[in-house]
Each structure stands twice: as structure tokens, then as C-alpha cells.
Amino acid sequence: MSMIIYAKKNIDGRIVALSRDPGDRADPAWGILPNDAPEVQDFIGELANQEGTGGFLRDSDLSFVRVLEDVIDLLVERSVIRFTDLPLPAQTKLLQRRDRRRQQHGLQLLGGEDLI
């Protein structure tokens, strides 16, 4: 669902600010755009990728999730905890991630030149 937002552009036509509130936009640099416009998405993507806005932490968190999955698997394997000891939402999330990983690996099993 597209909604209207207000975008301020610099002299080169690049977005430098976004707002949901029209406020007092007498400045001609402010215009109206749909929130799903490619230039809006590019601006948001650039902000998300800047290290100062958490890009590094986000990437680190994604890697750390896999580490936690491996630790949980190890604890279950060594009978330190039982999988059913985990809260139901955690069990569900872990099973979903395992299934997705299995599907990804399954799609690549017959790749390369060794096709039958």
C-alpha cells in the first residue's frame, strides 16, 4: 500500500530528507512522492547501509544468529538441554530456519557439470 510522503531534494535532485508531516513546506525543495518510489527506497537503503546508523551492527547480528543456532544445536546434541525445553516460539523459529537452510542446500545438490 503506497502512501504519500514529503521529500526534500538538493540542487542535484537527490533526496536529502523525508517526512510524513507536510508541516510548513513553503520551501520549493520539498515535494510529494509515494513511499514506494525508487528514489525514496534508494535514500532509505543508503541510510540503512551507513555504519553510523547501525549497518555494521545489523550485519554482525545476522552472523551472530547463526552462531546462536549452532550453540543451541550443540547443547541439545550433548543433552545439556532438550529442544522441548526451549519456549515454543524459539522452537518454531529454529525449525523454520533449519527447513529454509535445508531447502537452499537441496536446490544446489545437482549443480555443476556432474548432472545425470
Side-chain angles (χ1 to χ4, degrees):
M1 180 174 136
S2 181
M3 65 186 236
I4 299 299
I5 59 171
Y6 300 87
K8 183 175 184 176
K9 296 183 178 185
N10 66 13
I11 196 156
D12 298 325
R14 290 183 46 93
I15 295 175
V16 294
L18 295 174
S19 176
R20 288 190 218 179
D21 179 16
D24 182 19
R25 302 286 183 237
D27 184 347
W30 284 93
I32 298 173
L33 288 172
N35 67 330
D36 57 357
E39 58 190 321
V40 171
Q41 297 304 310
D42 290 346
F43 178 77
I44 293 170
E46 288 173 15
L47 287 178
N49 288 330
Q50 289 178 0
E51 200 168 332
T53 60
F56 172 77
L57 287 177
R58 183 190 64 245
D59 293 343
S60 174
D61 288 348
L62 293 174
S63 303
F64 194 65
V65 167
R66 182 57 201 250
V67 170
L68 287 176
E69 287 179 62
D70 291 343
V71 168
I72 291 169
D73 288 342
L74 182 65
L75 292 173
V76 169
E77 181 182 310
R78 293 191 178 176
S79 299
V80 175
I81 63 170
R82 291 178 302 205
F83 186 76
T84 54
D85 290 339
L86 298 170
L88 189 56
Q91 291 178 36
T92 302
K93 182 61 81 174
L94 286 165
L95 290 172
Q96 288 172 344
R97 290 184 56 85
R98 284 181 188 163
D99 286 344
R100 289 217 174 112
R101 260 198 314 281
R102 209 173 288 130
Q103 288 171 359
Q104 280 184 325
H105 290 295
L107 293 175
Q108 300 169 1
L109 288 177
L110 295 176
E113 297 177 16
D114 297 331
L115 290 177
I116 299 174

